[in-house]
Amino acid sequence: MKTRPQRAALAALGLVVAAVFFFPTYWMFTTALKTPAQILSPEYDLIPLSATLDNFTTAITKVGFTTFLTNSLIVTLGAVACALVAGLLAAVPLARLRFTGRRGFVLLVLVAQLAPLEALFVPMYLIMRDADLLDTLASLLLVYVAFTLPFTIWTLRGFVKGIPIELEEAAMVDGCGRWGVFRRVTLPLLGPGLVATSVFSFVTAWNEFLYALVFMRDQSKQTLPVWLSSFRTAFGTDWGGIMAASVIYAVPALIFFMLVQRKLVSGATAGAVKG
C-alpha cells in the first residue's frame, strides 16, 4: 500500500513525463500560430504574445489539400475495414479449431509481422507493376492491408482465446447456430480487440509516406503525408505552413485516440498476452 507522499511523487513524475512527451506537440501548435518573423527569431516565445491564423489558411487553401485528404480517408478506412474483416475470419478458426498446420500458420503470421516495411518495398513494387496497379488507390489499400493483417490476426486470436468457450457452448445449447453464436456472443466481446487493431491499422495507413510517394506518381492519387512534404521546396521551407498542416493532419487522429483510449489500453494489453 503506497503512502500519500509516494502517490504524490508518482503523480508528479507522471506529469513530468507527460509534459516531456507533449512538448513537441505544443511546439508544433504554437509555431503554427506565429508569423515568419517570429518563427525565425533567435528567441523562442514559450507562450506567443500574438497569434495569426494565416498559416492555417495557407495550408487549407494549398493546391491538392481536398484531393489528398479524400485519398487518405479512402485508403485508410478501406485498409482498416478489410484488415478487420479478414483478420477476424482468420482469428476465430485459429483460436477455436484444431487442424493440421495450425501452429505453423500462427508462427508464419508472427514472422510476417516482424518483417520491416522497407524490406518489402521492391517486391511489393514489382507485384503492383506486374498487376498494373501502380497509380491506383487500390495498390495502396492492398499494401496497407498486407502490413496490418498479421498484427490483426495475432491480436484478435488472443482475444478470441480469452473468451470462455463455455459461453459459446451455452448459446448453442439454447438453440443458436454457429453464426448466431458469433454474432450474439463472440463479436460483442471482441470490442476492445477490434478497437486496438483498428487503431494500429489506422495509424499505419494514415502515416505511411514511402509507398504513397513512389507508387502514386500521379499527384491526384497521392495522400496527405506526401502533401506535407510539398511545403519544402528548392526555395526553402515554409515552417509556419508545414506546422499548421501538421496540426490539421494530427487533429483527427488525436480526437479518435481520446474517444477510444480506454478500450485501446485494455485491448492492447489483453490481446497481446493471450497467445
Side-chain angles (χ1 to χ4, degrees):
M1 190 70 176
K2 294 183 176 63
T3 62
R4 181 173 296 180
Q6 289 176 330
R7 291 197 297 268
L10 288 175
L13 179 61
L15 290 175
V16 171
V17 173
V20 170
F21 280 96
F22 177 74
F23 183 73
T25 303
Y26 176 78
W27 183 301
M28 176 181 68
F29 181 73
T30 55
T31 303
L33 297 175
K34 293 181 178 180
T35 62
Q38 291 174 316
I39 295 174
L40 298 177
S41 173
E43 297 181 359
Y44 176 74
D45 295 328
L46 188 62
I47 301 178
L49 300 179
S50 60
T52 177
L53 297 178
D54 292 343
N55 294 322
F56 289 93
T57 303
T58 301
I60 294 175
T61 58
K62 192 174 180 65
V63 176
F65 171 72
T66 304
T67 301
F68 291 173
L69 175 62
T70 302
N71 294 339
S72 287
L73 290 175
I74 291 174
V75 296
T76 300
L77 297 180
V80 170
C82 292
L84 285 180
V85 172
L88 192 57
L89 293 177
V92 174
L94 287 175
R96 289 293 187 242
L97 303 181
R98 298 292 182 268
F99 54 88
T100 304
R102 182 179 64 90
R103 290 184 179 274
F105 183 79
V106 173
L107 179 61
L108 182 62
V109 169
L110 182 59
V111 171
Q113 176 61 31
L114 298 177
L117 304 184
E118 293 77 9
L120 303 176
F121 180 77
V122 173
M124 284 285 189
Y125 181 87
L126 296 177
I127 291 173
M128 295 303 168
R129 184 198 63 185
D130 295 341
D132 197 23
L133 288 176
L134 293 178
D135 271 338
T136 63
L137 295 180
S139 63
L140 281 184
L141 193 151
L142 292 174
V143 168
Y144 296 160
V145 171
F147 289 163
T148 57
L149 189 57
F151 176 85
T152 302
I153 295 175
W154 181 265
T155 304
L156 290 181
R157 172 179 171 269
F159 271 93
V160 175
K161 292 187 68 174
I163 299 175
I165 196 172
E166 290 79 10
L167 295 176
E168 299 177 356
E169 293 174 346
M172 295 181 69
V173 170
D174 291 338
C176 281
R178 290 284 185 182
W179 171 248
V181 170
F182 174 77
R183 183 170 60 88
R184 298 175 183 272
V185 179
T186 307
L187 188 59
L189 295 176
L190 288 177
L194 294 175
V195 170
T197 52
S198 64
V199 168
F200 175 81
S201 301
F202 179 89
V203 171
T204 300
W206 187 257
N207 293 333
E208 202 285 319
F209 172 78
L210 180 61
Y211 285 81
L213 176 65
V214 177
F215 284 21
M216 302 290 104
R217 291 167 294 185
D218 184 358
Q219 290 188 352
S220 65
K221 301 295 180 61
Q222 292 176 342
T223 56
L224 279 180
V226 181
W227 170 73
L228 286 176
S229 66
S230 66
F231 288 88
R232 184 173 183 178
T233 66
F235 302 99
T237 301
D238 181 6
W239 293 112
I242 198 172
M243 291 298 177
S246 299
V247 171
I248 297 172
Y249 178 77
V251 164
L254 291 175
I255 293 176
F256 182 73
F257 279 130
M258 292 176 64
L259 294 176
V260 302
Q261 60 177 338
R262 291 187 178 181
K263 285 190 176 182
L264 174 62
V265 172
S266 62
T269 54
V273 298
K274 296 184 179 73

